[in-house]
């Protein structure tokens, strides 16, 4: 089990790695639907290979580009299979800030040069998504997934974990509020507009002032186990009602 966790098996529904933004979700959905093909971009370091779109999936990297690309294809197929078989798609939105490749437009889950790769200001572009772009990306993702699985329903949540750093021109505190407010507003708008979409207030349960930060760990960023327990208890009670 420890080896499985180290290599990110049983962590994600399809070993995609973390998907923080609405546009990154749309990218994976398009790959899963077969309407778009991922670029064969690969990062090399110390004789090993990293998948730019899943930089933390294989802790020590892959042995070759062929292995990395094949592993990515397996993840895409597994993600597509999970969409087709699921009854409910639960997705937590975490960020509005994203990094893309200036040539291909492909989005990375992390800034190149952090977990893997090297940052190149000529090749890597920062964007901070607003309400319209976030809403449109989620709307498109929902439509594509419903084409793959017409009975699929959706539950969206917003991560209560604040930003630890930002590439915007603002302090990390207002940058966090801006990001979370945008994501929360998009979720609310989608839940009102689409009968097969609902919003679960995990963000509010953890972040709301009445709780005085008691559900956060001492670092005031990570959610404490007690907070996770409260959120999941409320979630299961709500979904079983």
């Amino acid at each position: 089990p420890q080896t499985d966790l180290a290599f990110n098996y049983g962590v994600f529904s399809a070993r995609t790695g973390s998907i923080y933004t609405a546009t990154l979700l749309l990218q994976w959905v398009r790959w899963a639907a077969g309407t778009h093909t991922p670029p064969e971009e690969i990062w090399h370091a110390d004789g090993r290979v990293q998948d730019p779109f899943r930089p933390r999936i294989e802790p020590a990297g892959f042995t070759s580009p062929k292995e990395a690309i094949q592993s990515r294809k397996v993840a895409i197929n597994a993600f597509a299979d999970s969409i087709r078989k699921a009854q409910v798609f639960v997705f937590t939105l975490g960020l509005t800030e994203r990094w893309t490749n200036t040539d291909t437009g492909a989005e990375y889950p992390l800034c190149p040069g952090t977990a893997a790769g090297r940052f190149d200001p000529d090749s890597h572009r920062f964007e901070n998504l607003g309400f319209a772009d976030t809403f449109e990306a989620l709307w498109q993702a929902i439509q594509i997934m419903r084409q793959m699985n017409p009975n699929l329903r959706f539950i969206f949540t917003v991560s209560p974990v604040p930003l630890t750093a930002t590439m915007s021109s603002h302090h990390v505190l207002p940058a966090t509020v801006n990001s979370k407010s945008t994501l929360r507003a998009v979720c609310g708008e989608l839940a009102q507009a689409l009968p097969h979409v609902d919003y679960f207030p995990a963000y509010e349960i953890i972040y709301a002032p009445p709780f005085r930060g008691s559900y956060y760990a001492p670092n005031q960023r990570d959610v404490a186990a007690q907070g996770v327990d409260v959120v999941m208890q409320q979630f299961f009670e709500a979904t079983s009602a």
Side-chain angles (χ1 to χ4, degrees):
Q2 287 300 109
T3 302
D4 290 349
L5 290 176
F7 285 83
N8 292 286
Y9 287 100
V11 178
F12 307 100
S13 298
R15 207 168 177 241
T16 58
S18 296
I19 301 175
Y20 295 112
T21 66
T23 45
L24 186 58
L25 173 64
L26 177 59
Q27 178 170 280
W28 273 96
V29 168
R30 284 171 167 171
W31 291 349
T35 60
H36 291 64
T37 302
E40 296 193 355
E41 181 180 357
I42 289 297
W43 291 340
H44 297 266
D46 302 322
R48 303 288 290 184
V49 170
Q50 293 283 0
D51 181 352
F53 307 109
R54 301 182 305 149
R56 287 179 170 166
I57 280 295
E58 201 76 14
F62 295 95
T63 59
S64 68
K66 182 179 179 180
E67 182 187 30
I69 292 174
Q70 181 58 34
S71 177
R72 184 194 302 164
K73 289 179 179 178
V74 171
I76 292 171
N77 290 336
F79 187 53
D81 192 50
S82 69
I83 293 172
R84 294 189 181 99
K85 292 181 177 179
Q87 293 180 315
V88 180
F89 184 87
V90 182
F91 182 68
T92 298
L93 290 148
L95 297 172
T96 55
E97 297 188 11
R98 71 171 190 163
W99 293 89
T100 61
N101 184 292
T102 55
D103 294 326
T104 65
E107 181 172 345
Y108 306 109
L110 298 168
C111 175
T114 50
R118 292 182 180 180
F119 181 74
D120 181 353
D122 294 325
S123 300
H124 304 135
R125 178 176 58 198
F126 169 78
E127 294 177 286
N128 197 3
L129 300 168
F131 178 92
D133 289 332
T134 302
F135 182 91
E136 180 62 23
L138 270 187
W139 182 279
Q140 289 188 38
I142 290 169
Q143 304 314 310
I144 295 171
M145 283 190 277
R146 290 274 288 185
Q147 289 174 3
M148 298 171 68
N149 180 352
N151 296 318
L152 188 61
R153 300 180 65 84
F154 299 83
I155 298 176
F156 290 116
T157 68
V158 174
S159 169
V161 178
L163 279 67
T164 190
T166 178
M167 190 62 185
S168 69
S169 58
H170 304 290
H171 187 278
V172 71
L173 293 180
T176 294
V177 172
N178 176 71
S179 178
K180 304 300 182 179
S181 299
T182 298
L183 299 176
R184 177 61 182 90
V186 167
C187 288
E189 194 77 6
L190 284 169
Q192 290 183 28
L194 300 173
H196 45 272
V197 174
D198 204 350
Y199 172 76
F200 177 74
Y203 173 76
E204 287 85 344
I205 293 172
I206 300 299
Y207 188 75
F211 301 116
R212 302 182 180 182
S214 61
Y215 292 144
Y216 282 103
N219 64 6
Q220 290 297 294
R221 183 171 187 270
D222 297 323
V223 178
Q226 178 191 6
V228 174
D229 290 342
V230 169
V231 168
M232 296 312 299
Q233 179 183 352
Q234 295 300 315
F235 178 83
F236 289 122
E237 287 182 0
T239 54
S240 62

